[in-house]
Amino acid sequence: MLQAGFARLDMTPPLGTALAGYFHKREMKGILDPLSINAIALTAGEEKLIIITVDLLALGLERGKELRLAIEEKTGVPADCVIIQALHQHTAPRITEVKGLNYTNDGAYHDLFMQKVVDAAVLAMADAAEATLFAGECETAEPITFVRRYWMKSGIVETNPGFSRYEEIDRPCDEPDPTVHLLRFKREKGDIALVNFACHPDVIGGEMVSADWPGFVRRYVEADHPGASCIFCNGFQGDSNHHYYQSGVAKRGITHSSHMGRVVADTVAALWEKATPMEVHSVGAKAETVYTRTRMEGVENYDKCKAWYAAYEADTLGYKPHITELAANKRVVALRTAPIFRPVVVSVGHIGDVMLAGLGGEPFTYYIRGAKALNPDKMLLTFCLANGDGGYFPTAKAFDEGGYEASSSPFTPALEGEIVDAFKKLMK
């Protein structure tokens, strides 16, 4: 018998908290909408699975480990069967063990957040009730996610080239995944909707906290289906966002964020009564840490890059650098203290015949297709920034093509094969 439980706790930080996501200092000055921790707990016989999403830019690997072990201690659910995902809003904090610009790694808010994540897991387990799973998937009625890397007519690849340069664009480097997945857990005490879609949540910007379009998805789904609770999970979105640069028309801000939430929620509504009932006799997850070599390219230019980055921080460069140049210099500067090998968390789970695939970073859209190809007959949900924050996970060819993500990524092209191999192993 399948049981499902849900919990939501507020995690809105106090004014002045550092907001992450860009290369300059930002401090929270107000609240557009609250941030929250959302948890779903599933039980099938003796097997248990907990999925938690947090409205953060990112959650560090060690902080994630600490939380999963604390949840295991409090609930008895094995740490491997706990998936914690940061939804990657750029109007939210970043909580990590690393010290740096706009990182929160200590203090009262940090400690309260850590406790609330554990509390959400406990409360979701306490809310458990008999449930029936209905699953469905459908593309959005209009495109709202786009690959942000483009081949320019000049023959180079650029990330976010800008709307004024739309005539210089040849074509996108890849196709986005427009699929919305719905897992509806039907219960007498109120349904739980797990919604999955892939796109960068960086629509609003500014210095006011917001859950961006994932927050709108949750609110709209719950408004459309009274009594239901919604947890949203973000897919592999490392090379996608809401901008379609070839249109020459910018769409951003809270109005467009709300529109994106509405489009996803409308897709959920279309699936709500049409989703297929599924037997669930088993749930669970496994996680494996892959140790992959750090990319040392450019280390011979360390002194030059360090001087350049110092000038950037002091605002004495004399020009505003493109984000790709900025990321490339920052990556080389970080090599002085970088490990030879760095950990990447790969997580695979299942809810009956529905597969779950998580990576501890920001994988390109390509990895959605790669993971689906391993189980083509099963529905697959993907989770970016699951149980860790390792940076961008480009494809092997993207390192040759260039762009912001590849320039900033600390990995080598070998990463693609290592991730695919880990998926193959765990999906067995």
Side-chain angles (χ1 to χ4, degrees), residues 201-425:
D202 184 17
V203 184
I204 295 177
E207 296 177 309
M208 310 275 277
V209 294
S210 172
D212 211 313
W213 62 264
F216 281 110
V217 171
R218 296 191 298 247
R219 292 193 292 276
Y220 287 142
V221 168
E222 291 173 357
D224 292 344
H225 310 282
S229 302
C230 178
I231 178 171
F232 175 80
C233 301
N234 199 1
F236 294 165
Q237 48 70 61
D239 60 345
S240 69
N241 66 13
H242 60 289
H243 289 313
Y244 179 45
Y245 286 105
Q246 286 178 287
S247 71
V249 179
K251 295 180 180 180
R252 58 171 66 96
I254 193 167
T255 299
H256 189 62
S257 177
S258 172
H259 175 70
M260 291 179 65
R262 185 67 265 171
V263 170
V264 174
D266 284 347
T267 312
V268 170
L271 291 167
W272 196 258
E273 298 298 341
K274 296 179 181 179
T276 303
M278 302 187 71
E279 294 284 339
V280 178
H281 301 292
S282 177
V283 299
K286 291 184 177 180
E288 179 171 294
T289 301
V290 175
Y291 287 89
T292 185
R293 186 175 289 275
T294 294
R295 174 178 164 212
M296 300 304 291
E297 174 190 331
V299 69
E300 66 278 5
N301 298 320
Y302 173 81
D303 291 336
K304 180 181 177 181
C305 292
K306 181 180 180 181
W308 186 97
Y309 198 74
Y312 164 76
E313 290 188 311
D315 198 22
T316 59
L317 274 180
Y319 68 98
K320 183 178 180 179
H322 190 277
I323 191 171
T324 301
E325 182 183 16
L326 181 55
N329 280 278
K330 185 178 181 181
R331 181 189 65 80
V332 173
V333 171
L335 290 178
R336 181 57 62 92
T337 56
I340 297 175
F341 293 91
R342 56 183 65 238
V344 171
V345 180
V346 181
S347 304
V348 166
H350 73 284
I351 303 169
D353 281 339
V354 177
M355 299 297 297
L356 315 174
L359 287 172
E362 296 185 71
F364 277 20
T365 307
Y366 160 85
Y367 289 101
I368 298 178
R369 299 191 300 273
K372 281 184 175 180
L374 298 175
N375 285 277
D377 298 329
K378 295 186 179 182
M379 180 185 291
L380 173 78
L381 280 60
T382 62
F383 298 72
C384 69
L385 291 159
N387 297 332
D389 171 25
Y392 285 104
F393 295 175
T395 58
K397 70 176 184 177
F399 287 99
D400 290 328
E401 293 172 345
Y404 161 66
E405 300 88 354
S407 296
S408 65
S409 177
F411 303 109
T412 72
L415 178 68
E416 178 183 322
E418 292 167 340
I419 287 175
V420 172
D421 286 346
F423 274 150
K424 287 180 181 177
K425 175 183 175 182

Side-chain angles (χ1 to χ4, degrees), residues 38-41 49-53 83 194 231 233 351 356 383:
N38 293 269
I40 182 170
L49 173 67
I50 296 176
I51 299 171
I52 300 174
T53 64
I83 298 174
L194 191 158
I231 178 171
C233 301
I351 303 169
L356 315 174
F383 298 72

